[in-house]
Amino acid sequence: MRYLTGIKPTGDIHIGNYFGAIKPMVESQSDNNELFVFVANYHALTSVNTGADLRRMTNDVLTTYLACGLTHPNTTLYLQSQVPEVHELTWYLSCRATVSELNRAHAYKDAVANGKVPNHGLFAYPVLMAADILMFNPDFVPVGKDQKQHVEFARDWAQSFNNTYSETFKLPEPKIEETLMTIPGTDGRKMSKSYNNVIPLFGTDAQVKKAIMGIVTDSIPVEDPKDPETCNVFAIYKLMASLEEQDALAAKYRAGGMGYGEAKKTLLEKFHEYFGPIREKKQYYEGHKEEVGKLLADSQTRIDREVYKLMNKVIRKVGVDIL
Ligand code: ADP
Ligand code: TRP
């Protein structure tokens, strides 16, 4: 099966992104699955307006993917801007997308409702996303719930193109992990960069410590028994600890005599034990730009093969080929 997905480089990666998006992708790698994973740097332009910032955040997502283990030979890791042909395909799909569909896009409506003055990029965002997807004919597109409608649009426009011309695109399925738990942030709400409640995966030791020691808890006194199941510290600890370790910490909660400060210290140690190797690999890739460059060059060869095959077909069907 072929999977395709992208992440927008718009902020620092947190452990919610890791457990919710990156880890499942890493685990879906196998000899039978082909993954296309990219950094959606064109899409980020709807909110990032400084070249240096975009370049830095793009590189950050790319080295994060590598450090987390998206390195299987069947995985193609690339930047969206390595496929400028998506803009050409966007145009052909724009001529299938109706204005009323785009007006119904939840992400667009939310941005406008939050006071954003929409430019054409924001309005046309779903069409570019459809082009990202359809360019590579994936079977599945793993996304968060908020992106489901965008994948459905891609499917509708693929169908419309196929009906208008002839069978060209495979219809992609959104793959949404309904069962996947929402990772709580330091204040108990969904961990999200927009809530300022994140534990940054690659923050400095001091930033990580500050985030973990700042996790909101109740005010039950040290000596009293506590309930691990209602505690944010424990909820986050569970993501990284073995069952035995979880049982051991839960027993300390229930016995009383342990303050939340101690539980947070246990979590902090666990964080470093769990993410230490990934944090080291991230530094490695940051220091070995030539290796990352070579990887992108290899991806370019694979991508180009796919792109030429598809675009030649599309160009011929719509009739803009040279006579
Ligand atoms: P943020 O909410 O911080 O802006 P994004 O929307 O950029 O995060 O999310 C990128 C990916 O990480 C998406 O696939 C999303 O589903 C996943 N993700 C983000 N936050 C969480 C969370 N708290 N729990 C589970 N998955 C998450
Ligand atoms: N719009 C997605 C998001 O905000 C990122 C994205 C762009 C994407 N193109 C894609 C995701 C294609 C999956 C497939 O998260």
Side-chain angles (χ1 to χ4, degrees):
M1 288 293 171
R2 181 175 284 192
Y3 293 75
L4 177 142
T5 195
I7 287 195
K8 241 182 344 177
T10 49
D12 293 337
I13 302 284
H14 53 75
I15 67 168
N17 301 138
Y18 178 77
F19 289 109
I22 301 174
K23 186 164 175 260
M25 253 195 282
V26 172
E27 287 171 349
S28 70
Q29 299 183 110
S30 83
D31 293 344
N32 302 323
N33 287 339
E34 214 183 349
L35 266 68
F36 282 75
V37 183
F38 69 98
V39 187
N41 53 351
Y42 288 138
H43 274 111
L45 288 170
T46 59
S47 56
V48 182
N49 296 301
T50 310
D53 283 348
L54 183 59
R55 207 170 288 114
R56 178 179 50 76
M57 291 191 286
T58 300
N59 192 50
D60 202 42
V61 174
L62 186 65
T63 49
T64 295
Y65 279 155
L66 288 168
C68 293
L70 280 172
T71 49
H72 192 281
N74 275 359
T75 298
T76 305
L77 203 56
Y78 61 103
L79 307 183
Q80 188 178 26
S81 56
Q82 286 183 276
V83 195
E85 293 85 352
V86 287
H87 299 300
E88 184 180 356
L89 185 55
T90 295
W91 180 250
Y92 305 137
L93 296 171
S94 284
C95 296
R96 314 273 26 114
T98 66
V99 170
S100 80
E101 282 171 313
L102 293 175
N103 268 327
R104 277 194 282 114
H106 304 311
Y108 172 74
K109 285 201 298 190
D110 287 353
V112 174
N114 287 325
K116 187 148 179 155
V117 177
N119 54 33
H120 179 249
L122 192 70
F123 189 61
Y125 184 109
V127 194
L128 177 57
M129 179 159 162
D132 295 333
I133 297 171
L134 300 177
M135 185 65 89
F136 294 97
N137 273 321
D139 300 282
F140 295 109
V141 183
V143 282
K145 280 185 205 121
D146 60 320
Q147 296 294 316
K148 182 167 181 245
Q149 186 194 30
H150 286 163
V151 182
E152 287 165 353
F153 281 148
R155 205 181 152 84
D156 294 343
W157 300 329
Q159 180 90 70
S160 162
F161 189 100
N162 289 351
N163 291 344
T164 307
Y165 298 101
S166 61
E167 200 59 30
T168 310
F169 297 112
K170 196 184 270 184
L171 305 185
E173 291 273 357
K175 187 165 184 291
I176 293 150
E177 296 282 352
E178 298 286 356
T179 53
L180 198 89
M181 90 160 151
T182 300
I183 313 303
T186 54
D187 59 359
R189 291 187 291 171
K190 171 188 185 273
M191 186 176 290
S192 169
K193 57 183 172 272
S194 23
Y195 295 154
N196 257 325
N197 63 355
V198 308
I199 300 177
L201 184 44
F202 300 108
T204 61
D205 289 356
Q207 287 166 335
V208 172
K209 183 170 180 190
K210 185 161 177 251
I212 289 181
M213 297 316 277
I215 296 174
V216 178
T217 55
D218 57 35
S219 50
I220 299 177
V222 175
E223 48 301 348
D224 289 6
K226 302 174 182 63
D227 181 3
E229 298 309 328
T230 57
C231 177
N232 286 329
V233 180
F234 192 76
I236 298 172
Y237 182 75
K238 265 167 97 169
L239 299 164
M240 307 169 208
S242 69
L243 286 175
E244 294 77 48
E245 289 167 330
Q246 294 177 34
D247 286 347
L249 187 61
K252 284 194 177 181
Y253 268 82
R254 296 196 179 100
M258 179 188 70
Y260 286 116
E262 192 182 329
K264 289 176 186 177
K265 282 207 186 103
T266 307
L267 171 60
L268 182 61
E269 279 164 24
K270 190 84 241 165
F271 174 95
H272 284 293
E273 185 190 319
Y274 188 90
F275 287 116
I278 290 181
R279 285 160 62 88
E280 271 172 32
K281 276 195 208 142
K282 174 86 157 56
Q283 282 198 329
Y284 171 86
Y285 284 114
E286 278 170 7
H288 291 77
K289 296 233 179 319
E290 67 305 329
E291 206 170 306
V292 179
K294 179 168 177 322
L295 185 127
L296 292 182
D298 287 349
S299 302
Q300 189 79 58
T301 312
R302 291 200 213 177
I303 293 166
D304 285 350
R305 225 181 6 240
E306 300 276 336
V307 169
Y308 289 134
K309 202 167 64 185
L310 183 94
M311 288 309 281
N312 277 335
K313 236 196 293 184
V314 169
I315 286 168
R316 209 163 19 81
K317 292 196 188 196
V318 298
V320 295
D321 48 346
I322 291 170
L323 300 173

